[in-house]
Amino acid sequence: MVLHTIVTAENPCLRCKEINPYSARTTHSFKHLKWLDQHPEFPALKASAASGCAFCRLLRDALLHIYSDAEIAKAEDDFDESVQDTWPTAKWKGNVEIYHGRFGFEADASPGLDTPNERAIRNVSFYIWPYPPRREHEESGRWESKRIYFNMYRPSNLACTTLIPRLLPDDDALSLRNVRAITNWLHVCSKEHSKCAPRVFPALPTRVIDVGSADGSQNPRLIVTSRERAPYVALSHCWGRPPVSAVPRNARTTSTNFESMLVGFPIDSVPRNFQDAIEAVRALGLRYLWIDALCIIQDSVSDWEAEAARMQDVYGSAHLTIAGTSATSSIDGFVARSNWPWPVVCMPCRGDNSGPGPASVYFRYQPDFSKYSRIEAIDKTVWNTRGWTFQERLLSSRILHFASGRLYWECRGTEGSEENEPARALHDRTPWMATEAEGVQSDTVYPDISGVDNRYQRWYRLVATYSQRELSFKKDVLPALSGLAHAFHHMYTNDDTYVAGLWLHDLMRGLLWMTKDSTKATRTLQYGSPSWSWASITGELDWPSRTTDRHCHYNYTATVLEAQTSIDSTDPMGATKGGSIKLLGKYQQLAKVVKAPELRFSARFPFDLISAGGIVGNGSFDVDSETRTDDVWMLQIEVQGPGDAFFPYHPVGILLRRVDGGAPVFSRIGFFTLNEEYIGHFGSLETKEIVLV
């Protein structure tokens, strides 16, 4: 399937000849260029295209797209219903103006350049007016305008220049050009990036796929390793919810088909994602591939638990992780590329003898330009919403993303892309997790957080981000984070104990989590996580900023006497089946809890906490279903704050309900903060033992 249709501008019109990238060395805009045309056929551009101006053809195609009913409807989503009638209105006569063209620039961080070039061209854009054609500016009464973009690329046979660094994505994700680029990324990373390269090839996982010969004459097969040392590739993908009828017969390895998988299987008997991963590994000249569904015996609980506990090693030791980033399910595939719906125009350029540059340049219409980015291609995908892929990405030393229509590379040393997109600033990149398998000791996880005392803050931020992910099975909430927990334990907390997603040495601060939206959160105690653990919650979580702010001061008012969890697997950082904490602290039953009046309503703390003397503070319940007005208790955890005029010291803690009418056994139901004038509210209370379950 052809991705792009290339059209050469045989006879560009006088205006389009002015769109010359060499002029960008002296100016970035050409305000004198202007087109006037008429909707819906745009006859002037049509006539110019017929005379051989391919850019006028592309410009007309862009206008036909953006002035289509569907695009107008999207632009009018926020219109008042009173103006959303049939268009065009009588007031607009169909006239369209294209004007104020300008180049867009980017810093070119291509290998081989001594310094970034701030005048590297990324695109050319124009204003179109009016758009949308029924919207008038509220104050001036004039219509608004919109900018349309055309990405610019150099020919692939031309060495990288400082003028136009980007390359047009290839029609084939595994083309010779792309395979060479991937091989080069791997070579440079392995040889030059100390944070990425293992000292020696690691031991193979328990089982891997031998992908067979590159020409396909040998079927891939599952092999049981002797833990010999060899490079292997790991696949990161999302299974999704494909129709049962569409799932191939060898989609999973089970005790039933295990022996036949060892013999070998036709490549078309596994899901499309797995087929693409096999083809990619073959193209790269590698032999071994790890895929969770095929290398773990799926109907064996013991095998699943044992292998799930090894994710730190599987992804951390992989020579390369291939991410099926563009696929939404296992049957989608990620190598095949769709046709680009508009032609790509090749235009000749006039040089100015000021340096090397291309004799021609490619222009590609780019709708939704703001969404054409690495963030949209990776971070905004379904793949990046799944729970298991969170640790797979962070544990991997290097990842090749098969995004929609292009490839992206990321490792601990740099970033790359099929288009030769510049690498982002360090603080915008993936917060990599160094692993025990690599023997790397470096603060690459959230580098803005520094200092030994704040190591746990990294964990809380990891968990807060992880809580935004989705899991098909809630019981996987701790197993899907186990690899990161093992890696974190090795890097920062090797003298600590993991308790249901928290760390014993920082347990007091760890207990001070909150749900961001209690209306969307649910608690699922049936899967074994105790109520005091964030893992009991399905929903987005957070540790309030001042709780983990390194500029705050903390005075813990409760002490851990004992903390234990019952592990429900062979993995000490895996699933639990209950747990308790015995504390020594001060707690008190509230007289009442009521919804705060609208004038004092806080989205984070929407309830007034009323003690005998009146309102003492505010709180929030973890989930709406646990909201109650009585039998609510406060357990003070700490007094916190910078202690300045803006944030005076104040008590914070967790809200509880009594589980046993006699013994002091409680379950967590929320979070509270008291007003600063009640800093001594718990002072007169006796310190007692309390058990949280």
Side-chain angles (χ1 to χ4, degrees), residues 360-412:
S360 60
V361 62
Y362 294 107
F363 293 89
R364 187 175 80 166
Y365 169 50
Q366 191 60 57
D368 297 324
F369 172 75
S370 62
K371 296 182 178 180
Y372 191 77
S373 66
R374 182 187 295 265
I375 291 176
E376 291 289 335
I378 300 175
D379 297 345
K380 298 296 182 68
T381 60
V382 172
W383 172 84
N384 204 51
T385 67
R386 305 306 301 166
W388 284 94
T389 62
F390 180 69
Q391 69 172 3
E392 291 166 7
R393 186 180 187 184
L394 292 186
L395 292 171
S396 300
S397 60
R398 51 185 78 94
I399 303 181
L400 177 65
H401 290 279
F402 283 78
S404 179
R406 56 205 189 276
L407 301 177
Y408 284 102
W409 169 274
E410 57 181 3
C411 67
R412 293 188 174 93

Side-chain angles (χ1 to χ4, degrees), residues 152-200:
M152 296 174 64
Y153 304 92
R154 60 183 165 91
S156 59
N157 61 354
L158 183 72
C160 181
T161 72
T162 57
L163 184 62
I164 302 177
R166 294 211 181 201
L167 288 166
L168 188 67
D170 216 325
D171 293 345
D172 181 2
L174 294 175
S175 67
L176 180 60
R177 186 191 99 187
N178 282 343
V179 169
R180 285 175 175 169
I182 299 165
T183 303
N184 183 63
W185 289 330
L186 271 170
H187 175 77
V188 172
C189 182
S190 300
K191 298 297 182 183
E192 299 180 9
H193 298 166
S194 60
K195 293 181 179 180
C196 303
R199 296 168 185 169
V200 294

Side-chain angles (χ1 to χ4, degrees), residues 141-161:
R142 286 179 53 82
W143 280 286
E144 295 183 358
S145 58
K146 176 183 177 68
R147 189 166 282 278
I148 57 173
Y149 293 84
F150 301 88
N151 283 355
M152 296 174 64
Y153 304 92
R154 60 183 165 91
S156 59
N157 61 354
L158 183 72
C160 181
T161 72

Side-chain angles (χ1 to χ4, degrees), residues 546-622:
R546 277 170 292 184
T547 300
T548 55
D549 189 341
R550 62 182 180 274
H551 300 297
C552 275
H553 306 290
Y554 315 101
N555 179 21
Y556 294 113
T557 56
T559 305
V560 178
L561 299 177
E562 178 184 295
Q564 62 85 28
T565 55
S566 180
I567 305 301
D568 195 24
S569 71
T570 56
D571 182 7
M573 297 183 182
T576 61
K577 52 182 178 182
S580 63
I581 302 174
K582 182 184 291 186
L583 298 169
L584 198 61
K586 296 183 177 183
Y587 57 97
Q588 179 190 57
Q589 185 175 12
L590 286 162
K592 188 184 296 185
V593 177
V594 298
K595 198 68 173 283
E598 187 172 343
L599 289 177
R600 290 192 298 101
F601 183 84
S602 165
R604 300 224 64 183
F605 303 103
F607 291 92
D608 284 339
L609 308 181
I610 301 175
S611 188
I615 298 174
V616 294
N618 295 92
S620 65
F621 291 97
D622 296 333

Side-chain angles (χ1 to χ4, degrees), residues 382-618:
V382 172
W383 172 84
N384 204 51
T385 67
R386 305 306 301 166
W388 284 94
T389 62
F390 180 69
Q391 69 172 3
E392 291 166 7
R393 186 180 187 184
L394 292 186
L395 292 171
S396 300
S397 60
R398 51 185 78 94
I399 303 181
L400 177 65
H401 290 279
F402 283 78
S404 179
R406 56 205 189 276
L407 301 177
Y408 284 102
W409 169 274
E410 57 181 3
C411 67
R412 293 188 174 93
T414 190
E415 292 180 329
S417 79
E418 181 179 350
E419 287 192 3
N420 197 38
E421 180 179 330
R424 296 174 295 176
L426 285 172
H427 62 268
D428 290 329
R429 300 183 192 175
T430 301
W432 296 96
M433 174 68 77
T435 67
E436 180 177 3
E438 293 160 334
V440 177
Q441 296 292 325
S442 61
D443 287 342
T444 51
V445 183
Y446 304 119
D448 59 309
I449 304 173
S450 60
V452 175
D453 292 340
N454 289 289
R455 59 190 175 180
Y456 295 102
Q457 186 180 348
R458 302 171 188 265
W459 180 254
Y460 302 136
R461 194 183 294 186
L462 281 170
V463 172
T465 305
Y466 174 65
S467 71
Q468 302 170 30
R469 301 294 188 105
E470 298 176 6
L471 289 163
S472 297
F473 304 101
K474 173 59 182 175
K475 62 183 177 60
D476 290 347
V477 62
L478 288 175
L481 197 66
S482 167
L484 279 177
H486 280 285
F488 193 89
H489 183 253
H490 172 76
M491 288 177 63
Y492 301 114
T493 61
N494 55 14
D495 60 341
D496 208 341
T497 302
Y498 191 65
V499 284
L502 297 172
W503 300 96
L504 182 59
H505 288 178
D506 201 51
L507 192 53
M508 289 297 92
R509 185 164 52 158
L511 292 174
L512 296 176
W513 51 266
M514 291 180 61
T515 55
K516 278 196 169 182
D517 188 344
S518 62
T519 65
K520 298 178 180 178
T522 58
R523 197 187 299 273
T524 48
L525 296 174
Q526 66 266 34
Y527 293 120
S529 296
S531 69
W532 46 264
S533 168
W534 59 264
S536 68
I537 296 291
T538 299
E540 193 169 349
L541 302 166
D542 190 19
W543 273 257
S545 59
R546 277 170 292 184
T547 300
T548 55
D549 189 341
R550 62 182 180 274
H551 300 297
C552 275
H553 306 290
Y554 315 101
N555 179 21
Y556 294 113
T557 56
T559 305
V560 178
L561 299 177
E562 178 184 295
Q564 62 85 28
T565 55
S566 180
I567 305 301
D568 195 24
S569 71
T570 56
D571 182 7
M573 297 183 182
T576 61
K577 52 182 178 182
S580 63
I581 302 174
K582 182 184 291 186
L583 298 169
L584 198 61
K586 296 183 177 183
Y587 57 97
Q588 179 190 57
Q589 185 175 12
L590 286 162
K592 188 184 296 185
V593 177
V594 298
K595 198 68 173 283
E598 187 172 343
L599 289 177
R600 290 192 298 101
F601 183 84
S602 165
R604 300 224 64 183
F605 303 103
F607 291 92
D608 284 339
L609 308 181
I610 301 175
S611 188
I615 298 174
V616 294
N618 295 92

